Amino acid sequence: MNRIAQSLTLTVAALAVTAAASPAVAATKPLVDLRGADLGTHAVDAAGTAHLAGSVTGKPFDGTYVATLAADDGSLPAPGSCEPAAGTLDVTSEKRFLRLDAVGEVCGEFTDATYVVTHRFVGRYVVTDATTRRLRGTDGWILLILATQGRATVEAYDS
């Protein structure tokens, strides 16, 4: 019986320490958590750069965006292939703005009647300019999606 009591005491003590430590190691809330509020648009210029536009919702504020996506070799990849790329995302509202510069990889996607994504860029961003100083230098994950019929969307998350 003595071993059972000792084991139970140790288990309760371990749970108490874990419960007490949990708030101290809780993750901080993200400073950037943006998603396309609706379906945006995109167009590719003669230099091979995709220009996206639309609106976003989330943190640090809702607003409109313009973004660019450019593969390193100057042309977006064919379906089934990927290559290094760079992107930007500028978000503005009436009184605030935010600029994210990103590097990552763009992949060409195979489309069909139900899957309309033509290109998917996944990368890491850094906030290079913002009206709020605490946002500058923040980094995280970004997604730029191009779809058929000139459609597009974006996501960015402070991770």
Side-chain angles (χ1 to χ4, degrees):
M1 284 279 209
N2 198 12
R3 281 186 195 231
I4 294 173
Q6 285 178 335
S7 178
L8 184 59
T9 302
L10 287 174
T11 302
V12 170
L15 289 173
V17 168
T18 303
S22 293
V25 296
T28 59
K29 292 183 180 180
L31 296 176
V32 176
D33 185 3
L34 296 169
R35 292 180 184 7
D38 53 20
L39 205 52
T41 63
H42 84 273
V44 180
D45 66 20
T49 300
H51 299 270
L52 297 76
S55 59
V56 291
T57 187
K59 293 180 184 178
F61 56 88
D62 299 346
T64 59
Y65 74 84
V66 293
T68 61
L69 172 59
D72 285 0
D73 72 356
S75 65
L76 295 173
S81 61
C82 300
E83 59 188 71
T88 63
L89 176 63
D90 294 313
V91 180
T92 58
S93 71
E94 191 172 309
K95 296 182 180 183
R96 298 185 278 183
F97 70 91
L98 177 68
R99 179 175 181 90
L100 289 69
D101 290 325
V103 293
E105 185 175 66
V106 62
C107 295
E109 303 282 337
F110 290 97
T111 61
D112 60 28
T114 59
Y115 189 75
V116 297
V117 173
T118 60
H119 294 89
R120 179 182 309 270
F121 170 80
V122 177
R124 297 288 301 170
Y125 74 81
V126 173
V127 176
T128 55
D129 200 8
T131 49
T132 306
R133 187 181 316 176
R134 73 184 179 119
L135 292 173
R136 295 180 197 145
T138 303
D139 64 349
W141 172 87
I142 189 168
L143 173 68
L144 304 176
I145 293 180
L146 308 180
T148 60
Q149 300 176 351
R151 297 174 289 185
T153 193
V154 300
E155 289 185 28
Y157 186 77
D158 173 15
S159 56

